[in-house]
C-alpha cells in the first residue's frame, strides 16, 4: 500500500498499478456526465479529455487512512463517479451531492451503490439525517472549469460569491461530521484570469489559504497537508513557453488538506476499529490507549488504564476488561455484610479505621461477627447492595430467660444479682434457659 508521506507521487509504478486496477475492475468513467464542461487548463493528467479526472488511488488512500472500514462518507461536491464507487467497494457508505442532474444520472449508470443526491449542497447538507465518519470532497477551483450555466453552480459565481458559498457548504458539512473524525479537501491554487481588455498579472487567488481559514473558523483543526504530485507530461510540453513569457511555473500538484474535528488520537483508535477491549463508567473503548486519551490524556496512559481495569478494588469497579470482569476480594465481614477493607467498614459505620481494625482483631465476644474471611464469590453490585442493610455493631453474649444481654454485668443489674451469680447460673444445668450465645 502507499506509504503515508506528505508527497503522494502518482508517477510511481505502484500508484499506476493501483489506478489501473480500479479503472478496469470497476469500469470507472468519471468523465461521463461532464461532456459540456468548459475547462481553462490543459494540464490535466488525461490528455484524452479536457476535464479533470479524480484519482481513484487517492480515494483509496484517503478512505484507508482516515475513515473506519464501515464508516459513512459525505461528499458535498461529488462530481464524477470515482469517489463514490471507491468508497462503496471499500466497504464505506457514501453520500455524494451534485448540482448537475446529468452528472448524477451518469454516476448512477456506473454504480447504484452510492447514495447519489441531485441538488444544491448549500440547501441539502443541513437536512441530512445521518452523521458521517469522514468528509472527503473536491470543490470547484473557482472558474477553472465551468460545469453549467446554473447560477447556484460555484463555477459561475464571482470570487466573493464563490468564497461565501464554499464556506457555507464546508461549515454545514462539518456539522454533519461526528466528533473525533477527519475532514479532507482536495484543492489547488488558481490564478486570476487575464484576458484582452482586462489585463491581470495572473496572481494566485489564495484558494488553498482561504479553504484552511474557512475550516478552522468553524472548529476544524488543520492537521495534515499533503501534495498530490501529478504527471509532468502535459505541463512539460508548454511549460517553457509559459515560463519564458512571464516566469509562471506550471503547477503539477494539488493540495490534499486534512482537518480533524476533535481529538486525532481518539479518531485514530476508532478508525482502527475492532471489538471493544474495556469499559470505563459505562463507556466502551477499543483499547486501553483509547480510554486514556478520552478520559484524561494529561494524567492517564494505557498501562494505568489496564492496571485499573485489572484491579479488584471497588474504587475501580467501573473499570473493566470486557470478558474478564473482575470481582471484589472480600476480606472482612460484619455479620453477613461483606467488605474489602477496614476503610470501607469505617465509612459505613462512622468509626475510625483503627477502631474497625481493633474490633476485627478483638477477642471480646460482642465483636465476634467482626472477622476476616476468604473465598467469597460476589459481584460489586451485590456487595454494595448488601451495604444497604442495617449493620449490627455488637452482638449479645448471653441469654437469660429469653432476654439477651451484652455482658454479665448488664444481666446482673437487670435481675438484681452479681455478675458472678449470673456466671454460676449459666454453668448450672438446672438453669437451661441461661446460656452463652457463642462458643
Amino acid at each position: 500500500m502507499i506509504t503515508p508521506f506528505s508527497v503522494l507521487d502518482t508517477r510511481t509504478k505502484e500508484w499506476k498499478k493501483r489506478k489501473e486496477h480500479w479503472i478496469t475492475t470497476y469500469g470507472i468513467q468519471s468523465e461521463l456526465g461532464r461532456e459540456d464542461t468548459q475547462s481553462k487548463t490543459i494540464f490535466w493528467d488525461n490528455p484524452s479529455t479536457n476535464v479533470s479526472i479524480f484519482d481513484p488511488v487517492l480515494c483509496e488512500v484517503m478512505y484507508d487512512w482516515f475513515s473506519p472500514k464501515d464508516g459513512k462518507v459525505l461528499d458535498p461536491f461529488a462530481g464524477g463517479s470515482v469517489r463514490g464507487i471507491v468508497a462503496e467497494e471499500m466497504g464505506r457508505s457514501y453520500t455524494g451531492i451534485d448540482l448537475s442532474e446529468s452528472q448524477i444520472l451518469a454516476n448512477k449508470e456506473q454504480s447504484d451503490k452510492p447514495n447519489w443526491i441531485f441538488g444544491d449542497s448549500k440547501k441539502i447538507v443541513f437536512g441530512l439525517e445521518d452523521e458521517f465518519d469522514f468528509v472527503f470532497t473536491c470543490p470547484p477551483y473557482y472558474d477553472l472549469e465551468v460545469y453549467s450555466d446554473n447560477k447556484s453552480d460555484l463555477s459561475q459565481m464571482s470570487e466573493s460569491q464563490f468564497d461565501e458559498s464554499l464556506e457555507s457548504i464546508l461549515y454545514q458539512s462539518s456539522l454533519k461530521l461526528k466528533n473525533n473524525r477527519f475532514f479532507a479537501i482536495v484543492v489547488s491554487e488558481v490564478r486570476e484570469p487575464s484576458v484582452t481588455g482586462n489585463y491581470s498579472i495572473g496572481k494566485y487567488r489564495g484558494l488553498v489559504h482561504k479553504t484552511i481559514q474557512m475550516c478552522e473558523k468553524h472548529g476544524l483543526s488543520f492537521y495534515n497537508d499533503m501534495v498530490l504530485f501529478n504527471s509532468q507530461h502535459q505541463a512539460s510540453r508548454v511549460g517553457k513557453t509559459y515560463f519564458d513569457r512571464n516566469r509562471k511555473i506550471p503547477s503539477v500538484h494539488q493540495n490534499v488538506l486534512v482537518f480533524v474535528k476533535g481529538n486525532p488520537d481518539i479518531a485514530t483508535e476508532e478508525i482502527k476499529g475492532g471489538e471493544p477491549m474495556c469499559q470505563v463508567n459505562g463507556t466502551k473503548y477499543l483499547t486501553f490507549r483509547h480510554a486514556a486519551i478520552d478520559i484524561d490524556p494529561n494524567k492517564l496512559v494505557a498501562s494505568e488504564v489496564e492496571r485499573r481495569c485489572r484491579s479488584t478494588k471497588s474504587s475501580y469497579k467501573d473499570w473493566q476488561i470486557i470478558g474478564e470482569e473482575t470481582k471484589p476480594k472480600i476480606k472482612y465481614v460484619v455479620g453477613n455484610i461483606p467488605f474489602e477493607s477496614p476503610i470501607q467498614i469505617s465509612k459505613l459505620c462512622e468509626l475510625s479505621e483503627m477502631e474497625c481494625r481493633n474490633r476485627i482483631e478483638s477477642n471480646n465476644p460482642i465483636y465476634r461477627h467482626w472477622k476476616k474471611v476468604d473465598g467469597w464469590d460476589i459481584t460489586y453490585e451485590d456487595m454494595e447492595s448488601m451495604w444497604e442493610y442495617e449493620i449490627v455493631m455488637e452482638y449479645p453474649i448471653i441469654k437469660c430467660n429469653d432476654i439477651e444481654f451484652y455482658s454479665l454485668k448488664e444481666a446482673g443489674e437487670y435481675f438484681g444479682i452479681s455478675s458472678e451469680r449470673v456466671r454460676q447460673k449459666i454453668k448450672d444445668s438446672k438453669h437451661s434457659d441461661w446460656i452463652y450465645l457463642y462458643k
Side-chain angles (χ1 to χ4, degrees), residues 281 304-321 324-331 339-344 347 378-381 383-384 387:
N281 296 325
E304 174 60 16
V305 173
E306 181 178 7
R307 184 192 70 79
R308 295 184 184 187
C309 286
R310 295 190 184 280
S311 173
T312 59
K313 293 181 178 179
S314 62
S315 54
Y316 298 128
K317 65 183 176 64
D318 293 322
W319 298 63
Q320 297 286 342
I321 297 175
E324 301 179 22
E325 285 74 9
T326 58
K327 294 182 178 180
K329 286 187 176 180
I330 303 302
K331 296 181 179 181
F339 296 94
E340 295 173 292
S341 68
I343 294 177
Q344 287 180 342
K347 291 179 179 178
I378 190 172
T379 66
Y380 289 106
E381 290 74 17
M383 178 184 72
E384 292 182 358
W387 292 353

Side-chain angles (χ1 to χ4, degrees), residues 82-100:
V82 61
R83 292 195 291 278
I85 292 176
V86 175
E88 292 289 338
E89 296 303 330
M90 289 182 68
R92 277 66 173 174
S93 177
Y94 174 92
T95 296
I97 307 166
D98 199 90
L99 194 62
S100 169

Side-chain angles (χ1 to χ4, degrees), residues 79-129:
S81 62
V82 61
R83 292 195 291 278
I85 292 176
V86 175
E88 292 289 338
E89 296 303 330
M90 289 182 68
R92 277 66 173 174
S93 177
Y94 174 92
T95 296
I97 307 166
D98 199 90
L99 194 62
S100 169
E101 185 174 15
S102 61
Q103 180 69 76
I104 292 296
L105 291 174
N107 291 351
K108 287 182 176 180
E109 288 182 6
Q110 294 180 68
S111 177
D112 59 1
K113 292 181 181 180
N115 178 24
W116 303 111
I117 300 177
F118 162 57
D120 186 352
S121 285
K122 199 171 181 180
K123 299 176 181 177
I124 291 176
V125 171
F126 186 78
L128 295 175
E129 294 183 0

